Amino acid sequence: MIRKSITIEEAEYEKLNNIAHREKISFSEVIRKAMNIYINQYEDISLVEYIKKNCGYVSDEEEKELLSWIEEPDLDPNEGSELTIEQIIKGNL
């Protein structure tokens, strides 16, 4: 187990401490439970939500181009080559 020291506002401390007393658990356990809830929500974010939060919007023209690639991919089965996981990891593309 790892120990970390955190600094919180007094009002936050009081709220968390009240929860600990009501639930009859330690202050640290309240922090661990809250952390797990946050981690689960963060990890469960959908791809669409991730893109909305982390990617900027594209122009209408660029959006049309991207959608056309999705609707009618221009794939030639004779082009390209197979990559190994090792090539991808090492960046030897």
Side-chain angles (χ1 to χ4, degrees), residues 28-62:
S28 296
E29 187 63 20
V30 173
I31 299 292
R32 280 192 291 275
K33 287 184 176 198
M35 174 199 62
N36 283 321
I37 291 168
Y38 177 82
I39 289 170
N40 288 337
Q41 288 175 346
Y42 183 81
E43 289 177 342
D44 286 343
I45 190 170
S46 73
L47 178 58
V48 171
E49 290 169 333
Y50 178 86
I51 290 171
K52 284 180 180 178
K53 284 184 176 183
N54 296 289
C55 301
Y57 288 95
V58 296
S59 68
D60 289 342
E61 183 179 317
E62 189 174 359

Side-chain angles (χ1 to χ4, degrees), residues 65-73:
E65 183 179 4
L66 291 170
L67 291 173
S68 73
W69 290 347
I70 293 169
E71 291 169 3
E72 295 179 37

